[in-house]
Amino acid sequence: MKNKVDNKIELIREKMKGDNTLRNESYARLLKRRRLEQRKTLEDVAHGVCSASYLCRIENAQVEIRDEFLTHLFEKLEINYNAVKELTDLNLLEQLVKLYYDEDNSKLDELINKAVENNIYSDLEIQLIKLFKLIVDNDYEEAKNLLKVIDKTLDKLIGIELIVYTFLSALLSYKINNLVTSFKLIRVLLNLKYENDALKKAIYDLALNVLSLLDEDVLFIETYHDYKNIKVVESNPNKEVTHEIEYSLVIGKNNLVKGIDLFNEVKEYIINDYLKEQFNYHYIKFLIFHKKYDEAFSLLNTIDKSKRMLPLLNYCINNCNDFLKSINYLKEIKYYKFNKYESFMLFYNELTILNLEKRNHLELIEFLKNNFIHRKNEAKEIKNSFIINNIYQIYRNCLFEIGKYKEVAKTVIEM
């Protein structure tokens, strides 16, 4: 039985089928929507300018619209044509995605404010613009509420609006750690053709972020090479280097020597704190994949640990045979605070503490059942599959210790 997310994605795919190019239909869409918002008929707006049937063809983007018609039609709908032309030529929605990729938040804010103030966009377009602003400002609760409103009018979205809506839905899901939903939306976006390389670059950038976290290595490598071949006037150096680091990890998982070489090559491009954190996070994951826990501990001891490194630290603790080394981290991991989007991080941290404090097996089994085993749908939204395997391993070890051999076998089969 399909859930709401799958139904939405199926609708998006259906609407995009046969229309894989981005077409500039801004004038036509604006005319039709503004006319409908003002409850005017085709005859009301067309009177004195053109025939109602010709206006209908204009609104459906079936004819080339001449400036003299646009000027008079927009005037009847109280729209400033010059302002529309300026922002339409700018391809506002595409430009917002590009500015997000460039991390130019001041210019992005300026463009959003200008668009809202000029009052030349339909209600639906304004909602998309506001959704963009909420996500950029990390106001995820309001963004989720607004997305639900836009979902109700999904059938009205066309062209670039539908592309940007899908991108923003994937971006919001990524931001709130709903990675499987983000992945499904990314798969839709990766199957489209793009005329605008800057837009394609931004979408593929988000795709690489999601794919690297979900260990979708084959698709990551394919997308990475496509991303590298997208030529834009100016790329974001932080994002370019970040994807080089992610690529080093993906290749290095199965080839220790090649991974070390790639990480050493990219190391010379680490020129700021942002890239330093990216490098350390992915290099620790690389060490973990090759069971080099002592080296991972040593690196964790010498760096400022971002919160996303906590699951990596917990993983090392759960897999290290040095109890004294592990117990040194007990006080540290007890002090972390978590928000509502970090529920899995909180759970894994609590599991590590219980495991480290050597609670009895029945207590650990009960904790795992209540917080993970019986909530498999939530577990599917989690990044880092090696951590999922670690959780099941702890569960199986506890079952084995109390003689629940059939349940041990069942968890192996289910995985």
Side-chain angles (χ1 to χ4, degrees):
M1 185 175 178
K2 291 183 178 178
N3 58 31
K4 289 182 180 179
V5 171
D6 289 330
N7 287 333
K8 181 168 77 170
I9 291 169
E10 190 173 294
L11 177 58
I12 291 171
R13 281 201 177 101
E14 191 63 33
K15 286 178 65 63
M16 289 178 173
K17 195 179 295 181
D19 184 22
N20 287 342
T21 58
L22 304 181
R23 293 172 288 129
N24 184 6
E25 299 172 334
S26 300
Y27 294 145
R29 294 197 302 271
L30 178 58
L31 278 170
K32 185 171 185 176
R33 285 187 181 152
R34 190 56 61 86
R35 177 178 65 79
L36 294 175
E37 286 167 7
Q38 295 181 14
R39 301 179 183 276
K40 291 183 178 179
T41 65
L42 287 167
E43 289 75 12
D44 292 336
V45 178
H47 182 70
V49 180
C50 61
S51 68
S53 61
Y54 190 71
L55 175 56
C56 181
R57 295 180 66 197
I58 289 175
E59 289 186 347
N60 289 295
Q62 294 173 341
V63 293
E64 190 71 30
I65 316 175
R66 288 156 46 187
D67 275 359
E68 58 265 35
F69 281 130
L70 285 173
T71 303
H72 294 305
L73 291 170
F74 280 8
E75 192 175 290
K76 285 201 162 194
L77 294 169
E78 300 174 356
I79 303 171
N80 184 324
Y81 174 58
N82 291 328
V84 171
K85 194 171 190 314
E86 179 187 346
L87 286 172
T88 302
D89 289 344
L90 186 65
N91 293 319
L92 177 71
L93 291 173
E94 293 180 20
Q95 188 68 11
L96 290 178
V97 177
K98 178 183 180 301
L99 290 172
Y100 175 79
Y101 170 78
D102 292 338
E103 299 179 300
D104 192 343
N105 289 342
S106 60
K107 195 167 182 181
L108 191 146
D109 283 344
E110 180 185 332
L111 197 55
I112 287 175
N113 292 335
K114 184 177 180 181
V116 174
E117 289 169 4
N118 273 306
N119 193 31
I120 63 169
Y121 290 97
S122 69
D123 291 344
L124 195 50
E125 288 169 314
I126 291 296
Q127 285 177 335
L128 282 173
I129 293 167
K130 287 181 176 179
L131 177 61
F132 216 123
K133 173 69 172 167
L134 289 170
I135 295 174
V136 169
D137 289 344
N138 303 322
D139 193 347
Y140 302 138
E141 284 305 304
E142 283 301 313
K144 284 164 62 179
N145 292 335
L146 182 54
L147 186 62
K148 289 177 183 177
V149 174
I150 300 174
D151 284 348
K152 295 175 182 177
T153 56
L154 176 56
D155 59 318
K156 296 181 181 179
L157 293 171
I158 57 174
I160 184 60
E161 298 168 345
L162 189 57
I163 299 286
V164 172
Y165 162 83
T166 308
F167 171 78
L168 291 177
S169 297
L171 179 60
L172 179 59
S173 295
Y174 166 70
K175 292 286 189 180
I176 62 175
N177 291 322
N178 193 341
L179 292 175
V180 171
T181 297
S182 186
F183 173 67
K184 290 176 181 178
L185 292 162
I186 287 296
R187 291 295 297 268
V188 175
L189 291 168
L190 289 178
N191 285 321
L192 299 179
K193 294 179 182 178
Y194 298 92
E195 294 175 357
N196 185 313
D197 283 341
L199 177 66
K200 184 177 181 180
K201 193 86 171 180
I203 287 171
Y204 276 53
D205 163 66
L206 175 60
L208 289 173
N209 289 334
V210 174
L211 295 173
S212 67
L213 287 174
L214 284 173
D215 300 322
E216 291 284 344
D217 293 346
V218 174
L219 185 55
F220 175 92
I221 292 171
E222 179 185 327
T223 305
Y224 170 80
H225 289 302
D226 288 341
Y227 172 86
K228 295 288 286 185
N229 289 327
I230 302 170
K231 304 302 179 186
V232 294
V233 175
E234 191 174 331
S235 290
N236 184 321
N238 278 349
K239 292 182 181 292
E240 295 283 338
V241 176
T242 294
H243 298 318
E244 293 283 350
I245 295 169
E246 292 169 344
Y247 179 75
S248 301
L249 171 63
V250 170
I251 298 300
K253 286 179 186 177
N254 299 310
N255 190 323
L256 176 64
V257 175
K258 181 65 174 177
I260 291 172
D261 288 343
L262 288 171
F263 273 108
N264 284 335
E265 286 175 17
V266 78
K267 199 169 186 177
E268 63 181 279
Y269 300 107
I270 309 303
I271 56 175
N272 56 44
D273 290 340
Y274 171 81
L275 291 175
K276 188 181 295 183
E277 192 276 341
Q278 291 284 347
F279 182 89
N280 288 335
Y281 173 75
H282 289 89
Y283 190 66
I284 291 169
K285 284 182 74 171
F286 167 70
L287 294 173
I288 285 173
F289 274 108
H290 292 283
K291 303 187 185 328
K292 294 185 173 293
Y293 304 123
D294 286 340
E295 290 182 44
F297 273 128
S298 296
L299 182 53
L300 284 162
N301 269 329
T302 61
I303 62 174
D304 292 329
K305 292 185 279 294
S306 61
K307 188 179 282 189
R308 69 173 178 160
M309 290 184 189
L310 181 61
L312 305 185
L313 173 58
N314 286 332
Y315 185 89
C316 289
I317 292 171
N318 287 324
N319 289 275
C320 177
N321 293 320
D322 190 335
F323 178 73
L324 291 177
K325 181 178 287 186
S326 298
I327 205 71
N328 288 333
Y329 290 97
L330 181 58
K331 185 182 293 186
E332 180 179 349
I333 65 177
K334 281 186 174 181
Y335 280 107
Y336 278 91
K337 303 296 181 185
F338 305 90
N339 63 43
K340 64 181 294 184
Y341 302 116
E342 297 166 339
S343 57
F344 172 71
M345 200 180 290
L346 169 63
F347 153 72
Y348 191 47
N349 197 57
E350 290 179 345
L351 174 62
T352 304
I353 292 169
L354 291 174
N355 200 29
L356 198 55
E357 291 178 340
K358 299 297 180 185
R359 301 295 179 91
N360 68 65
H361 300 304
L362 287 173
E363 185 177 351
L364 275 170
I365 289 170
E366 193 64 24
F367 176 78
L368 282 163
K369 282 184 175 180
N370 290 335
N371 294 280
F372 186 74
I373 305 301
H374 291 167
R375 295 161 65 181
K376 290 182 180 178
N377 288 335
E378 293 178 30
K380 290 177 182 177
E381 299 289 353
I382 295 163
K383 54 193 171 189
N384 297 331
S385 59
F386 65 97
I387 291 179
I388 303 302
N389 292 334
N390 177 234
I391 294 166
Y392 275 107
Q393 185 59 51
I394 294 172
Y395 184 57
R396 285 195 293 269
N397 288 344
C398 291
L399 290 172
F400 188 84
E401 289 295 331
I402 63 172
K404 297 275 188 176
Y405 306 123
K406 287 185 179 180
E407 288 192 45
V408 172
K410 184 180 178 182
T411 62
V412 172
I413 293 169
E414 286 179 347
M415 289 191 69

